[in-house]
Amino acid sequence: MTDSNNMPGVDGGDAVVSAFNAVGADYLFCSSGSEWAPVWEALARRHRDAQPAPQYLDLTHETVAVGMATGYGLVERRPQGVLLHAAPGLLQGSMAVHGALLAGVPMVVASSESTTYGDAPGHDPGGQWYRNLSIVGGPHGVARPFTKWSNEAASVHTLPTMISRAAELAWRAPAGPAYLNIPLEILLQEWDGREAKPVVTPGSTHSSPEEADAVARMIREAANPVIVTETAGREAGGFEALVAFAEAWDIPVVEPDSAVCANFPRTHPLHAGSDIGPWMDTADLILLVNCRAPFYPPSRRPATAQVVVIDEVPQRPHIAYQVLFADRYLEGDVANTLRQLAKRAKDLDVAAVTARRAEQERRHADEQAAIAAAEARAEQDQGIDPVLVAATLRRLLDAQDAVVVDETITHSRVVRRHLRTEDPDSYFYVQGGLGQGIAVALGVKLAVRERPVVLTVGDGAFAYNPVIPSYDAARAHDLPVLIVIFNNRVYKSMNLNHRRFYPEGAAAETGEWLGTDLHRLPRLARFAEPFGMHTETVDTPDALAPALERALKAVAEGTTAVVDVLVTR
């Protein structure tokens, strides 16, 4: 810590703002709570005195605050600040915090508690802490299972460096949210003005040349290798490095259904779809590149393939059960590792490379034909097939440098297959529980204001979202996005599981399918009308493209648009 020019007499609120400023946070995403009055006062003071501070976003729901920080962090890859209210606010936002952990998004989440309950001299924290807000073990105990690191700031004098430590921990691999409990009494305590040192970009780690040489030999000797990746594109430069690596060695790339982001151009001849199944019995080498959970069930071991894991932190400590079947690890910065392996693509077996290239070209041609056939069938459908929605979006978004955030469930494969994204940071799949999609899309838009952002979401997932607070955030902070609802009027995934577990059960006999019917919901687009947003409900194929065109035009003009598409399945 170093002395600053701040005058003594300010309190812990200014220590918080000063620390997040030093950390390099662009934003404080805040779902308001009474403990944050010292922070608000510090911000008001800094604004008055033209002092630097992160931009403050006043949000009305915890999932919106965390979700927006997640969307922003997916693009910017730097820790931001998230302020929630006490233990209840942390609990309310915990699903989204866990989603950020799964997505590998760095952020510092803070909330508060009382340590004196009014029985100490000084400011009265308020009776609500004594009666309702406190939780046994403190909120940092609650946060421990769904964060990378969780602790309490026990002194105003250590508070700035506790925040910077949390940011550094959040930023380093595996990136994810860190939590800090900042008691209200600490926020109100006089601060002497000593600041935290600015946080620097994490250094990189590398596998040794000898380790890379050994893996290069394995690839050179393999006749039928395959790459499987979930999050290579999450790393800075990872998307481009994976393309260069795959092309150098002529290896097909599988993005399983668990892929978190765009990792490889889906139009590329080496893109091999989302199913690792065809390689389980035939591949002699499987390269898992930032792939947390490639095999399902976990015991589904490849028949003969050796497995090489390329990942900075292969064994993720936050995953309850993880099985990789690794024969060799290359641990370190993934993009750098891939670049090093690409340079080693020499003295290849021409016959083996030619054979696997021809086989992949056949697979790719078959997939393109299957996509075209599915889209042709969808165009002939009397209703709106989900394939038609995804294909229409692809055509309308062509050359617009759009970003798609996806929170569909039963339609997620359709969305990925027919949108066919090609660029880094062009696709993100919402992680963890449902109900975060709108907020994540708004956070992405905050990071890329010049690019169109589209949320694809099922009607069931849409119903889980805090819709009113999300729309308020979109309007208040000028974040226009396009929301496309794939509305089949049913919780389809739940219904499919019921049918799968009990194909000849009582529900199948009587037609009493509980927990699945959404026909009772009103038209979903109407919730946006009080906010002055563009709304459309579409139930015929010929109305789909014009409706989406109007919606995209509204978004380009600065208005969020919601298109509720009544799909056939």
Side-chain angles (χ1 to χ4, degrees):
M1 292 174 64
T2 58
D3 290 338
S4 79
N5 295 322
N6 288 351
M7 294 296 295
V10 294
D11 57 22
D14 206 77
V16 169
V17 175
S18 173
F20 276 114
N21 206 55
V23 162
D26 302 316
Y27 292 95
L28 294 177
F29 299 85
C30 183
S31 176
S32 299
S34 55
E35 69 263 50
W36 299 122
V39 170
W40 299 333
E41 179 64 18
L43 288 167
R45 186 186 306 115
R46 284 175 173 254
H47 296 158
R48 180 197 64 194
D49 299 340
Q51 293 181 322
Q55 187 169 339
Y56 176 85
L57 294 184
D58 201 358
L59 305 164
T60 56
H61 196 282
E62 292 84 357
T63 298
V64 176
V66 181
M68 287 184 63
T70 297
Y72 189 82
L74 283 168
V75 178
E76 294 294 338
R77 300 177 173 86
R78 292 182 289 106
Q80 305 299 312
V82 179
L83 307 181
L84 306 178
H85 177 42
L90 175 63
L91 290 167
Q92 180 72 46
S94 61
M95 178 190 67
V97 177
H98 183 242
L101 180 69
L102 296 177
V105 176
M107 64 180 68
V108 178
V109 181
S111 70
S112 196
E113 65 178 344
S114 175
T115 55
T116 65
Y117 304 105
D119 276 343
H123 294 288
D124 179 7
Q128 72 274 18
W129 296 95
Y130 181 52
R131 291 187 292 265
N132 295 321
L133 296 181
S134 293
I135 191 166
V136 174
H140 48 293
V142 172
R144 206 158 279 135
F146 51 84
T147 55
K148 271 191 70 178
W149 177 83
S150 179
N151 211 337
E152 177 185 14
S155 166
V156 73
H157 305 296
T158 60
L159 175 57
T161 47
M162 287 289 278
I163 291 175
S164 65
R165 171 167 162 73
E168 290 190 331
L169 285 164
W171 206 353
R172 278 150 179 79
Y179 173 79
L180 194 60
N181 169 24
I182 310 175
L184 178 55
E185 287 81 355
I186 300 298
L187 289 169
L188 291 167
Q189 190 175 348
E190 184 176 301
W191 177 49
D192 59 12
R194 291 179 296 170
E195 296 179 331
K197 186 178 184 294
V199 173
V200 298
T201 304
S204 58
T205 58
H206 307 283
S207 293
S208 69
E210 293 78 13
E211 291 171 318
D213 287 341
V215 171
R217 283 194 298 273
M218 295 173 71
I219 301 173
R220 194 173 292 112
E221 294 167 1
N224 191 26
V226 63
I227 298 165
V228 187
T229 183
E230 292 175 328
T231 61
R234 188 190 60 200
E235 314 299 332
F239 186 101
E240 297 86 348
L242 182 58
V243 172
F245 169 59
E247 289 179 342
W249 292 91
D250 247 309
I251 305 175
V253 177
V254 173
E255 282 186 289
D257 291 336
S258 51
V260 172
C261 56
N263 301 292
F264 197 83
R266 296 191 73 87
T267 55
H268 196 290
L270 286 173
H271 197 285
S274 61
D275 184 11
I276 193 178
W279 278 272
M280 292 297 287
D281 294 325
T282 60
D284 52 1
L285 180 65
I286 297 177
L287 298 150
L288 302 180
V289 180
N290 263 26
C291 196
R292 307 160 299 168
F295 312 117
Y296 191 82
S299 58
R300 188 188 183 199
R301 191 184 188 102
T304 59
Q306 288 187 292
V307 176
V308 174
V309 177
I310 301 172
D311 201 320
E312 193 162 11
V313 184
Q315 293 293 340
R316 305 291 169 86
H318 60 266
I319 295 180
Y321 183 57
Q322 186 183 20
V323 182
L324 298 175
F325 296 119
D327 294 291
R328 186 178 290 271
Y329 290 107
L330 278 183
E331 298 183 47
D333 179 84
V334 169
N336 180 70
T337 301
L338 294 175
R339 287 191 287 265
Q340 294 304 313
L341 289 174
K343 291 177 182 178
R344 288 165 167 77
K346 302 172 183 177
D347 304 321
L348 307 186
D349 184 330
V350 175
V353 170
T354 300
R356 71 170 174 257
R357 182 188 301 130
E359 178 63 16
Q360 176 55 25
E361 288 174 351
R362 181 194 63 76
R363 286 192 210 97
H364 184 72
D366 288 348
E367 173 64 2
Q368 301 314 299
I371 289 172
E375 292 179 4
R377 288 193 299 272
E379 289 176 356
Q380 300 302 314
D381 201 321
Q382 296 300 306
I384 304 176
D385 191 283
V387 169
L388 181 64
V389 183
T392 304
L393 272 174
R394 183 189 71 237
R395 290 191 288 268
L396 293 175
L397 295 175
D398 184 43
Q400 289 201 40
D401 194 25
V403 185
V404 175
V405 176
D406 187 19
E407 198 179 27
T408 59
I409 300 298
T410 54
H411 299 127
S412 60
R413 292 182 183 179
V414 168
V415 169
R416 284 194 298 270
R417 189 184 192 204
H418 293 276
L419 278 178
R420 304 176 69 198
T421 52
E422 298 181 300
D423 302 309
D425 294 339
S426 59
Y427 173 88
F428 298 105
Y429 191 73
V430 177
Q431 298 295 293
L434 296 176
Q436 309 170 60
I438 306 177
V440 172
L442 293 176
V444 170
K445 183 65 176 179
L446 187 66
V448 291
R449 287 183 178 272
E450 73 286 356
R451 298 172 66 182
V453 175
V454 180
L455 170 69
T456 53
V457 61
D459 52 326
F462 179 86
Y464 281 121
N465 274 261
V467 173
I468 291 174
S470 298
Y471 287 168
D472 172 66
R475 186 175 65 174
H477 301 293
D478 191 24
L479 299 170
V481 297
L482 170 59
I483 300 171
V484 180
I485 304 170
F486 286 64
N487 189 349
N488 57 9
R489 284 81 72 200
V490 67
Y491 281 125
K492 190 72 171 181
S493 61
M494 298 154 183
N495 184 254
L496 289 174
N497 270 345
H498 192 157
R499 293 174 184 272
R500 181 161 62 93
F501 296 148
Y502 302 99
E504 299 177 359
E509 180 183 347
T510 64
E512 185 183 9
W513 301 106
L514 301 176
T516 63
D517 185 22
L518 294 178
H519 281 86
R520 64 185 182 276
L521 294 180
R523 291 280 67 85
L524 300 180
R526 292 178 183 170
F527 291 99
E529 291 175 359
F531 293 88
M533 296 173 175
H534 180 92
T535 64
E536 304 251 6
T537 299
V538 184
D539 59 3
T540 60
D542 59 345
L544 178 63
L548 291 174
E549 286 176 343
R550 290 189 294 270
L552 283 168
K553 182 174 183 292
V555 171
E557 293 172 350
T559 303
T560 289
V562 183
V563 182
D564 182 14
V565 185
L566 307 185
V567 294
T568 55
R569 59 185 175 92

